[in-house]
Amino acid sequence: MRKHLVFLVLVLLCGYWPLADAFAQDGPMPLPADALSDADCGLTLSGTVTDHEDRSVLIGATVVLEGTPHSSITDANGHYHFHDLCPGTYQLVVSYLGYTTERLAKAFRAPEVVNFRLHPDALQLHSVEIRGTKQREQLTQANSNLSGRELAQTQGQSLAQALERITGLSSIQTGPSIAKPVIHGMHSNRILVMNNGVRHEAQQWGSEHAPEIDPFVASELTVIKGAAGVRYGADAIGGVILVEPRPLRDSAGTSAQLNLVGVSNNRQGVVSGMVESNPAALPSLSWRLQGTLKKAGNSKTPEYYLANTGYQEQNFSAAAGWTREKFGIEAFFSRFDTKLGVFSASHVGNLTDIRNAIQRERPEPEADFTYAIDRPYQNVTHDLLKVRAFYRTEPLGQVSLTYARQFNQREEYDIHGGGSEVPGLRFEIETHQTEALWEHRPVGNLTGSFGASYQYQFNRYEGRFFVPFYQSHTGGLFWIEHWEKEKWHLEAGLRYDYRYLQAKMFRKDTPQRTGQASLDNELLTPTQRFQNLSGTLGAIYHVGPHLDLSVNAATAWRSPTTSELYSNGIHHGTGTYEYGDPTLGVERAYNFMATLGYVQNQRLNGEISVYRNYIQNYIYQEPDTIPTLTIRGAFLTARQRHADATFTGLDASVTYQLTDQLLFSSKASLVRAYNRTAEEYLIWIPSDRYENSLRYSLNKLGIRGNLTENYLQVSGLAVTRQRHVPDNYLARDYAMPPAGYFLLNAELGTTLHVGKQQIDIGLIGRNLLNTAYRDYLNRFRYYADEAGRNVTLRVSIPLNF
């Protein structure tokens, strides 16, 4: 009880002191003539207040409707609420101790969510410059994001593993070190990853080619579920992942952050640091440097180590910007560099060995722990250079130009390479992208943007054949408009894309090789041209103070990739021999989604989304039960297929604040994927997932209250066995779907205050019961179990100079 009183006093001190200060300076403001009306006074205004720099929620911030008696204090999740407001124009004043007070004039005709990101003030940074903050655009599609402390709790994990916290997302794995995000059962070429506003382009055709992005760069991860091809281009059939670094510092001063992570299972160590500055003498200039070192050894299942599953990374990035009131320019460069061991039990010598490897319960040979990475392994580097400039004009709005260059190199070292330092296969893919975007000023209730994009890509290789040389040109035009009035928000958009693709290869590299040199040395240059439209139409209706209903219908398309058309060789990371199909055509998706959200309530919040995605000419990879025998050994075989398919499912999440400290959460994801052509379920689709958690939070602990934002969370994840599969499953795959499993997880965290210095500490335990299991979406489930118990310790130290 005493702690509760202390918390209440602190809230009052933190909340009302700046409130009193605000009124002392400005006094009550007279209401605009249209601010109050006796009719229809049932509107709700709500939102979240967070730190502008690290996106952490600000508990106890005060939000005032100036000139009225209304005020609200943010709760443990940073939320504020106003109810029973009349239509009109209000002046919002948001204040928090240690932060600059924000003001915003806002006209309301319907319930609305307005979020604020406060800037640290001069008490900490010695000087301050106030600039406007763009509010997040409302989307009619289901979307979720990770930021602030919730994102910090994923440090040490890959991008895909971090995103698993979002309802509806899972990951497809290739061993314990490689994971790709899966949205509503779709992954790889159907999921666009936008890294700092640039479409991530690499050799993403493989399920084992994880996005080459350092998660420590991101300050916010946003997932848009469903077809989103209008704004982001063709291929976004399954969804879009936005990886957004923190904005460059816009208040004078220098700060840094040191992150340390230790992982028990593979004895991984991570060091990541960042320093950024906005010089007081040059307030228009801001810069940032960031780097990460990571090293991990063999992972361990509950009973044995997984041989050659270590990895190491060396990543860095640099950013600088020059911003004035009407114009600005920003440059960003990043390098991702990793060496990945490939689970050696997946590379076997002959057909008998491959059958024995699948049938035995544990892989051979037995392994011990080591940091050494032996053959087979991969070296991957990815460079991104981005330059963006913008110009604002009062009559027209804002125009921005973006140019980006990406260079991705992948070297694959086979198990049969001996002492040679030459990789068996080297890919190099270079991509140049440009985009021009015009965001026009509001015209009545209408806001929107018009843009054009162009991309040139060139791929080459050295060594054995898998995917041919190719070059492609892709251009697009798009237009999106939003209309908002009273309880309605409407969205409509249209996009046209054209793609030219030309491959180069010798006949001897195709399945049509004849064995005659004169014919097999013929150079083939197959050329493909694709063009199509994407569209979206959606609406949000504010049913009540907390209840929102959104619906979206969208269509998107993608052309088959070069690997889907022409691959013919060993896919190193999966130990699979893959065959393409040059007759494949365009995939066309028709997506419908409806979301009902009950939000910004003090106790109960939740959201449920239902969706159906019909895809014409769905391209998928199906195992061939006859392995391919080569001079390098025997390999599992996979071939490209196509069929009409439907993906139907739901995502649901609910939270209930049991007490001021205790929060219950539950979420579920179900997807059913059906092959309409063959009248059977598709394979390699995520199983049903259910997760419940209980979180206890306490703001102050310790004799002097030097432990703040304390929490303990216990959760259980249940994944069912995939039973929605074809009847003749073993004619499509090498092994039946594995049994379902349950994992017990826990998290513990606090912020330690030592003088003026704060240190964020977190402890995360996964699979605490050390359960032996195999996940259906892991490509190596044929050979070994998943990793066992794992405990991660993370320490984050922010520094201000």
Side-chain angles (χ1 to χ4, degrees), residues 361-402:
E361 293 187 356
R362 51 196 300 163
E364 291 182 356
E366 294 282 344
D368 202 349
F369 178 81
T370 178
Y371 285 106
I373 299 175
D374 203 352
R375 288 172 177 267
Y377 70 90
Q378 302 176 351
N379 281 334
V380 182
T381 59
H382 186 90
D383 293 344
L384 166 63
L385 170 65
K386 172 194 170 186
V387 180
R388 176 181 178 272
F390 72 86
Y391 183 75
R392 297 191 186 102
T393 63
E394 285 299 325
L396 296 179
Q398 176 172 299
V399 176
S400 60
L401 297 173
T402 302

Side-chain angles (χ1 to χ4, degrees), residues 501-520:
L501 171 67
Q502 183 182 61
K504 291 184 179 179
M505 55 191 165
F506 294 102
R507 184 182 299 277
K508 64 184 178 183
D509 294 324
T510 72
Q512 289 75 41
R513 59 180 173 270
T514 65
Q516 301 178 38
S518 58
L519 295 176
D520 288 346

Side-chain angles (χ1 to χ4, degrees), residues 92-348:
L92 283 83
V93 181
V94 186
S95 54
Y96 190 72
L97 184 62
Y99 289 78
T100 302
T101 298
E102 293 273 350
R103 296 174 178 275
L104 175 68
K106 185 73 178 175
F108 298 101
R109 292 290 183 271
E112 191 150 348
V113 176
V114 179
N115 299 323
F116 289 90
R117 293 174 178 172
L118 299 190
H119 297 256
D121 72 4
L123 292 175
Q124 295 179 344
L125 303 176
H126 310 299
S127 65
V128 64
E129 180 179 347
I130 301 174
R131 293 172 181 168
T133 301
K134 184 179 180 180
Q135 301 298 322
R136 178 174 293 280
E137 183 179 318
Q138 285 195 75
L139 298 174
T140 59
Q141 291 177 280
N143 61 92
S144 304
N145 76 324
L146 286 178
S147 61
R149 191 160 198 171
E150 193 175 8
L151 179 61
Q153 291 165 8
T154 68
Q155 289 176 349
Q157 297 178 320
S158 68
L159 178 66
Q161 292 166 332
L163 290 169
E164 285 186 14
R165 290 175 176 251
I166 294 177
T167 307
L169 268 78
S170 55
S171 63
I172 185 167
Q173 292 181 265
T174 306
S177 56
I178 304 173
K180 297 189 76 166
V182 179
I183 303 176
H184 293 170
M186 286 179 276
H187 58 86
S188 301
N189 296 306
R190 297 179 184 86
I191 304 296
L192 284 188
V193 178
M194 303 294 294
N195 182 16
N196 193 10
V198 177
R199 174 175 166 143
H200 184 73
E201 290 289 343
Q203 287 99 8
Q204 63 259 45
W205 50 69
S207 60
E208 90 290 9
H209 296 179
E212 297 90 347
I213 297 173
D214 182 0
F216 282 95
V217 171
S219 68
E220 188 168 6
L221 299 175
T222 302
V223 176
I224 301 172
K225 304 171 186 175
V230 174
R231 176 61 185 89
Y232 302 102
D235 300 342
I237 286 178
V240 179
I241 296 170
L242 307 177
V243 181
E244 300 175 55
R246 57 195 293 163
L248 286 171
R249 189 183 180 106
D250 60 0
S251 51
T254 300
S255 60
Q257 184 159 332
L258 176 65
N259 296 296
L260 305 172
V261 180
V263 181
S264 67
N265 184 280
N266 56 5
R267 305 181 197 181
Q268 178 185 190
V270 183
V271 179
S272 182
M274 180 277 297
V275 59
E276 61 181 358
S277 180
N278 178 235
L282 285 173
S284 297
L285 174 67
S286 298
W287 58 266
R288 178 191 305 129
L289 296 174
Q290 180 270 339
T292 300
L293 295 174
K294 183 184 295 184
K295 186 169 186 175
N298 285 345
S299 295
K300 186 181 181 183
T301 72
E303 297 181 354
Y304 49 84
Y305 282 98
L306 299 171
N308 203 42
T309 53
Y311 56 93
Q312 57 193 39
E313 288 181 18
Q314 305 83 217
N315 313 318
F316 77 92
S317 66
W322 181 272
T323 306
R324 305 291 290 180
E325 182 180 355
K326 290 190 174 181
F327 65 91
I329 186 168
E330 180 179 316
F332 175 84
F333 177 79
S334 66
R335 163 162 284 199
F336 180 92
D337 187 338
T338 185
K339 180 178 181 180
L340 289 163
V342 178
F343 182 40
S344 54
S346 66
H347 285 237
V348 292

Side-chain angles (χ1 to χ4, degrees), residues 505-563:
M505 55 191 165
F506 294 102
R507 184 182 299 277
K508 64 184 178 183
D509 294 324
T510 72
Q512 289 75 41
R513 59 180 173 270
T514 65
Q516 301 178 38
S518 58
L519 295 176
D520 288 346
N521 288 328
E522 179 187 1
L523 180 64
L524 306 177
T525 57
T527 301
Q528 307 262 9
R529 291 177 175 84
F530 308 98
Q531 57 181 328
N532 228 313
L533 292 172
S534 302
T536 184
L537 185 62
I540 300 174
Y541 180 68
H542 302 287
V543 181
H546 300 284
L547 195 62
D548 293 336
L549 173 65
S550 62
V551 294
N552 179 273
T555 180
W557 69 283
R558 79 174 185 95
S559 59
T561 65
T562 309
S563 65

Side-chain angles (χ1 to χ4, degrees), residues 446-749:
L446 208 60
T447 59
S449 58
F450 179 82
S453 64
Y454 168 74
Q455 173 179 298
Y456 170 73
Q457 191 169 78
F458 177 72
N459 180 76
R460 55 181 173 266
Y461 74 95
E462 297 177 5
R464 58 179 165 78
F465 183 85
F466 176 59
V467 174
F469 288 84
Y470 73 83
Q471 62 175 340
S472 67
H473 301 265
T474 305
L477 293 171
F478 63 90
W479 187 12
I480 305 174
E481 291 292 332
H482 298 263
W483 181 84
E484 187 171 2
K485 186 175 183 181
E486 298 179 348
K487 296 184 176 182
W488 286 96
H489 177 104
L490 305 180
E491 175 191 60
L494 193 65
R495 182 184 183 105
Y496 167 78
D497 285 289
Y498 174 86
R499 187 181 187 212
Y500 169 88
L501 171 67
Q502 183 182 61
K504 291 184 179 179
M505 55 191 165
F506 294 102
R507 184 182 299 277
K508 64 184 178 183
D509 294 324
T510 72
Q512 289 75 41
R513 59 180 173 270
T514 65
Q516 301 178 38
S518 58
L519 295 176
D520 288 346
N521 288 328
E522 179 187 1
L523 180 64
L524 306 177
T525 57
T527 301
Q528 307 262 9
R529 291 177 175 84
F530 308 98
Q531 57 181 328
N532 228 313
L533 292 172
S534 302
T536 184
L537 185 62
I540 300 174
Y541 180 68
H542 302 287
V543 181
H546 300 284
L547 195 62
D548 293 336
L549 173 65
S550 62
V551 294
N552 179 273
T555 180
W557 69 283
R558 79 174 185 95
S559 59
T561 65
T562 309
S563 65
E564 290 168 333
L565 291 167
Y566 307 117
S567 63
N568 180 36
I570 301 168
H571 201 154
H572 187 261
T574 60
T576 305
Y577 198 101
E578 296 180 2
Y579 295 94
D581 181 352
T583 67
L584 294 174
V586 166
E587 271 189 11
R588 162 65 68 181
Y590 301 92
N591 180 249
F592 175 79
M593 179 176 297
T595 302
L596 188 64
Y598 191 73
V599 298
Q600 305 292 341
N601 189 275
Q602 292 183 348
R603 287 199 178 276
L604 178 65
N605 291 277
E607 182 178 280
I608 183 169
S609 297
V610 294
Y611 59 89
R612 185 174 179 85
N613 203 348
Y614 173 70
I615 303 179
Q616 286 180 336
N617 198 30
Y618 174 76
I619 301 169
Y620 63 103
Q621 197 177 70
E622 185 176 82
D624 187 328
T625 52
I626 302 175
T628 298
L629 185 61
T630 74
I631 59 173
R632 293 179 172 82
F635 294 89
L636 306 179
T637 301
R639 298 180 185 275
Q640 301 294 338
R641 310 291 189 197
H642 62 93
D644 293 341
T646 54
F647 288 72
T648 308
L650 71 84
D651 300 330
S653 62
V654 62
T655 63
Y656 187 77
Q657 195 77 41
L658 298 169
T659 68
D660 289 345
Q661 287 78 36
L662 204 57
L663 178 70
F664 171 76
S665 300
S666 182
K667 54 186 180 181
S669 300
L670 293 82
V671 57
R672 302 287 180 265
Y674 199 71
N675 184 330
R676 291 289 165 189
T677 303
E679 295 294 328
E680 62 183 16
Y681 286 104
L682 289 168
I683 65 172
W684 288 347
I685 300 300
S687 305
D688 298 344
R689 301 169 69 90
Y690 307 90
E691 185 170 12
N692 294 318
S693 65
L694 203 57
R695 185 184 184 96
Y696 183 80
S697 303
L698 196 59
N699 193 36
K700 294 281 187 179
L701 272 178
I703 299 176
R704 298 180 180 178
N706 55 349
L707 296 174
T708 63
E709 299 183 63
N710 311 283
Y711 67 91
L712 169 64
Q713 177 172 307
V714 179
S715 62
L717 170 66
V719 179
T720 64
R721 181 174 186 166
Q722 182 54 279
R723 300 184 184 280
H724 302 279
V725 296
D727 294 333
N728 56 343
Y729 190 82
L730 287 180
R732 310 297 181 86
D733 200 354
Y734 296 96
M736 293 296 291
Y741 57 87
F742 172 81
L743 302 181
L744 179 66
N745 306 316
E747 298 180 16
L748 178 67

